[in-house]
Structure formats: structure tokens, C-alpha cells
Amino acid sequence: MKLPTFWGGIHPPQNKELTVSESIVSYRPKGELVFPMSQHIGAPCAPVVAKGDRVFVGTRLGNNDAFVSAPILSSVSGTVKDVTMRLTPPGAFETCVVVEDDGKNELAPEWKPLENYQTADPKEYVKRIRDAGIVGFGGATFPTAVKLSPPPDRKIRWLIVNGVECEPYLNCDNRLMQEGTEKIVQGLALTMRLFPEAEGVIAIENNKPEAIAILKDAVAKSGLNNVTVQPLAVKYPQGAEKMLIEALTGQEFVITALPADVGCIILNVRTVYQIYSAIVEGLPAVTRVVTVTGDAVAHPKNIKTPQGTMIRELIDLCGGFKEQPAKILSGGPMMGLSMRSIDVPVVKGTSGILCLTAKSTMLKPIRACLRCGRCVEACPMGLVPTVLEPLVRARQYKRFEEEGGMNCIECGSCTYMCPANRPLTQGCRDGKASVTAMRRKAAAK
């Protein structure tokens, strides 16, 4: 039977074997913890604590009352050491709260399980989800409370749990589906109380047979007749929202629309897991499972660690480098961002730390475009990267917009397929950033 998939896309080497059988190990940080105030899509937070303040696990360190935002919470108990500018994974200096861990791991007194959660008004779930700082843990970091509050005229027909994890090398979601199965299923059941007419779908690429089998068994035992586990064809970027909706529902929609506009809400498996923890266990979303991998790492692992932990500590836990890395990425090889330093913290969107040797990066010189069209065939958005990249270099941003450049999802498929090694994705990323900055400047006038 042919498995569902989407048009376009590519088949890069998976390279998941380094950590696919590595159970999640817990790590307790040894040094100070750093919490950037911008860890989600939307309005960044402002610090609400000061140097010397006592904090607990779940204490609010930063907040913004804007609708599209999510609070920043402490992942440890201890003392605020400083509120200052620190380097963050994207390579920028941002306002951060620095906490000195006291090792006691005391939970803030306001954090308790939601009373009568099985019969509580589902609107209470949304409030708890926001208070817990839950965002899209697949990497997009869109505030989940906002996603679960669609306009009243949007009828939600599908609640999709994204367990695809199509990014090469990464296994944090794969391992969580195998080790946190019950919480994922029950978290989905709770979320579906918000949309009682919706069908639940747990989508997983077919290269994760263990996770598929375990989740199918858990769903069958749960008695959730309106939930299915759907294997998908292995193809990148199968986990992107538009591609996932196209594969599962057969619907196409313009990139400027939201999934709710076509009756869908998509949540990452980690997000659903954290929803269960916040509602049933009364725990804030302050930890993160990170895959530390690559051929430069001595012993690759999947690590559960408090947010704010320094990435250097996780690499040390893996035995350090067995060979000098030529490139270190926050995330995977397709959509990950190159890091300037490993002395930066784990944040909500940190799914992986990929350390590659010169051999595996396969860095090659950039040559003139061959007009072969491989990038066009690969682009799942139907764009023409060979047109967009030169427009960005020429700073023709208006034409870049007209040619659909803002619809690029930065998946990296075009760059991967380019025999001339042109930085097509990077060009689109720069173009989008420039257009966004121009729009903000115009709006401020």
C-alpha cells in the first residue's frame, strides 16, 4: 500500500543510526543557567525578576501580556545571578536572566495538578498551557495557547500530532514517542476536548517502526475511537505544516493561510507530552530533550535537560569531541543554524546539537548556476530558487516578494540538490529577513 506524502521534496541520508537506539538520559547542569527572553515566535518577554531574587522551578522570569507570546520560566530553583546581555544559539546577544542553581529543584508553590482535570472546562486547559510556557517544540516555537484558540468561525476537523521528525540525525521525538507513549496519547485526548468534533491523527514517518507500533497499541488500549496512527512515506520535509496537511487530508492551501483555515491544528509530540504534564502532573514546560550527535561527537546521546543548560555541558556529557568539528549546528543539517559558540544555552527550540567533521560537511566551492532545474523540482512550495537568490543579491526585494520569496519555508531542499553548491536557502532567508525589516520600518512611520 502506498503511503501518503506530498509533491516535491528530497531524500537526504537519514544518519539517525547514531542515536536511534539511545534511550533518553537525564542530565543535571553543573554551571549557571541562562534564560533568553526571546524563545518563541511573537512578542519577546521582558524580565520580571532582579538580581538576588529567589526563584523556584516554574517561577516566571520573563513575561509579555501580548496575545502571541509565552512566559519564560525557571527550570531550577536558586538565585537570580544577573539580568544581562548574553550570547544565544542564533549568534546574537540578547537580554537574558542568569540563575545560579541551588541543586534543590524545589517546585514553585503555585504549580499543582489542575483540579478535576478530566471534567474541567477545557478553557482552563488553554490558560494552564500558556502559564506553563508551552510552545511548538518541533522547532517553530509558536505559542501553543494561541494555536489552540482559533477564530470561532474556523471548524477544526483534524488535530494532528506531528511525530514525523524528518530532519536527518535527530531522534529526540522518536525516543520520546517510545518512552513517553502514554503521556502523548493522554495529552492528545485532553487537547481533543477543546475540539470534540475533530479527528485525531498521530503522523509518523515509516522509518520509525518501533514508535508506530507502540503508539498504535497505546491508542487501541486507550479506547480513543477517533484517533489513528498514520505512517507516512519517508521524504523531506514531510514534517512541515503544509506538506503534512497535504499528505494527510489531500488539501492544498496558500502559505499565507493558517492550518486552522483548512480545519487543522498541528502539535509536535513534545508539545502534547508537555500539555499532559502541565494539566495532570502540575509541571511547567521547563525541560527539553536534545539529540547531541554527529561524527565529531565521541558518544552521541538523547539528553533530557533543564532549559538554560549550557550546550558545552551536554557535549561534555557525550565524551566531548573525538575529532575537531568543522561545523556545529543548532538543529539538524537541513534547517539548523550554524553556531558561533557552544557556550550558549539550551532554549525551547533546541531539538539537536549536530557536530560535523570536515569530511561529513562536504564543503565545496560555489559555482555559477547550471540552469539544471533540480532546485525547482525539489522545492515543495513550487518556487524557483534560481530566480529568487539573484534577486536578493541584487537587493531587489520588491521583485523577490512578487516572485513568492516570502513563501519559502527555508527547508534547505534546493541547496541540497544544487550541483553548483549555491546558497539558495540562505539567500531566501536573507531576503525574507530584509523584507520583514522593511515592513516593520514602514509600519513604524
Side-chain angles (χ1 to χ4, degrees):
M1 181 179 175
K2 190 175 180 180
L3 294 172
T5 190
F6 62 96
W7 180 88
I10 58 174
H11 294 86
Q14 293 295 297
N15 293 318
K16 292 179 179 283
E17 65 278 359
L18 292 172
T19 56
V20 69
S21 300
E22 293 289 329
S23 298
I24 298 170
V25 297
S26 294
Y27 174 73
R28 184 76 192 175
K30 296 181 175 61
E32 62 186 21
L33 289 92
V34 177
F35 300 89
M37 292 292 100
S38 181
Q39 296 190 35
H40 52 265
I41 290 177
C45 292
V48 293
V49 292
K51 183 177 180 179
D53 285 355
R54 169 82 171 143
V55 297
F56 301 91
V57 176
T59 295
R60 193 167 290 195
L61 303 177
N63 191 50
N64 192 314
D65 291 331
F67 179 58
V68 184
S69 190
I72 306 298
L73 309 177
S74 179
S75 59
V76 296
S77 58
T79 304
V80 175
K81 188 176 179 181
D82 206 352
V83 178
T84 185
M85 303 294 285
R86 287 289 185 94
L87 188 65
T88 60
F93 282 88
E94 301 176 18
T95 301
C96 298
V97 173
V98 183
V99 175
E100 187 173 0
D101 184 8
D102 63 9
K104 297 179 181 179
N105 208 41
E106 294 180 86
L107 187 66
E110 64 266 25
W111 279 102
K112 298 174 184 177
L114 187 65
E115 288 189 27
N116 303 314
Y117 68 87
Q118 291 175 315
T119 56
D121 185 342
K123 292 180 181 178
E124 289 295 313
Y125 295 174
V126 177
K127 183 179 183 303
R128 174 60 64 96
I129 287 166
R130 179 185 173 88
D131 289 345
I134 298 176
V135 299
F137 288 109
T141 64
F142 190 82
T144 302
V146 178
K147 189 177 285 190
L148 295 178
S149 306
D153 61 340
R154 302 295 193 272
K155 182 180 179 181
I156 303 304
R157 299 168 58 195
W158 293 278
L159 188 56
I160 301 169
V161 177
N162 187 349
V164 173
E165 198 168 45
C166 59
E167 185 79 27
Y169 283 97
L170 303 187
N171 275 299
C172 52
D173 287 351
N174 185 13
R175 293 308 312 180
L176 186 66
M177 286 187 286
Q178 296 180 55
E179 300 177 39
T181 314
E182 295 298 329
K183 292 183 180 181
I184 291 170
V185 172
Q186 293 306 314
L188 173 58
L190 290 170
T191 309
M192 291 183 70
R193 289 195 63 216
L194 288 160
F195 311 102
E197 298 180 9
E199 174 187 350
V201 183
I202 303 175
I204 312 174
E205 273 193 324
N206 206 38
N207 60 352
K208 304 172 183 64
E210 295 86 358
I212 291 171
I214 291 171
L215 276 162
K216 280 187 173 181
D217 183 61
V219 169
K221 290 178 179 177
S222 71
L224 295 171
N225 298 322
N226 56 345
V227 174
T228 57
V229 177
Q230 178 60 63
L232 297 171
V234 178
K235 184 164 65 167
Y236 180 86
Q238 184 73 80
E241 281 188 340
K242 189 177 188 300
M243 284 73 252
L244 198 53
I245 291 172
E246 181 179 330
L248 292 174
T249 73
Q251 297 183 100
E252 290 192 42
F253 69 105
V254 294
I255 195 63
T256 52
L258 296 173
D261 295 332
V262 291
C264 298
I265 286 179
I266 303 176
L267 301 173
N268 174 261
V269 288
R270 177 75 188 179
T271 302
V272 175
Y273 178 96
Q274 294 287 181
I275 287 173
Y276 173 90
S277 295
I279 293 171
V280 180
E281 300 175 321
L283 298 175
V286 294
T287 61
R288 175 76 233 200
V289 178
V290 182
T291 297
V292 180
T293 186
D295 61 340
V297 176
H299 305 290
K301 299 180 186 295
N302 298 300
I303 306 169
K304 178 183 178 182
T305 190
Q307 293 167 21
T309 302
M310 302 307 286
I311 285 172
R312 181 181 293 276
E313 292 189 46
L314 300 188
I315 293 174
D316 289 344
L317 180 66
C318 295
F321 299 126
K322 64 180 181 181
E323 187 176 335
Q324 185 64 31
K327 184 176 285 290
I328 302 177
L329 300 172
S330 175
M334 301 304 297
M335 296 190 73
L337 298 176
S338 184
M339 296 173 59
R340 292 169 53 188
S341 170
I342 57 175
D343 293 313
V344 293
V346 170
V347 294
K348 293 182 181 184
T350 307
S351 56
I353 302 299
L354 178 57
C355 309
L356 300 173
T357 63
K359 179 181 178 181
S360 59
T361 55
M362 297 185 293
L363 298 175
K364 299 177 182 178
I366 298 171
R367 301 192 298 274
C369 176
L370 306 175
R371 303 295 177 189
C372 64
R374 293 183 186 178
C375 60
V376 180
E377 293 176 356
C379 179
M381 298 303 298
L383 302 176
V384 185
T386 50
V387 169
L388 297 173
E389 188 236 355
L391 290 175
V392 173
R393 284 191 286 111
R395 299 185 180 181
Q396 295 182 28
Y397 299 123
K398 190 175 189 309
R399 176 85 185 281
F400 173 80
E401 283 189 84
E402 292 171 351
E403 294 291 340
M406 298 304 285
N407 293 341
C408 172
I409 61 172
E410 303 176 26
C411 67
S413 296
C414 55
T415 301
Y416 178 82
M417 291 300 295
C418 180
N421 308 306
R422 299 206 62 79
L424 302 173
T425 306
Q426 294 83 345
C428 283
R429 183 180 291 137
D430 291 345
K432 290 171 65 179
S434 297
V435 170
T436 300
M438 290 167 60
R439 288 175 178 176
R440 286 176 178 165
K441 186 176 180 179
K445 289 183 179 179

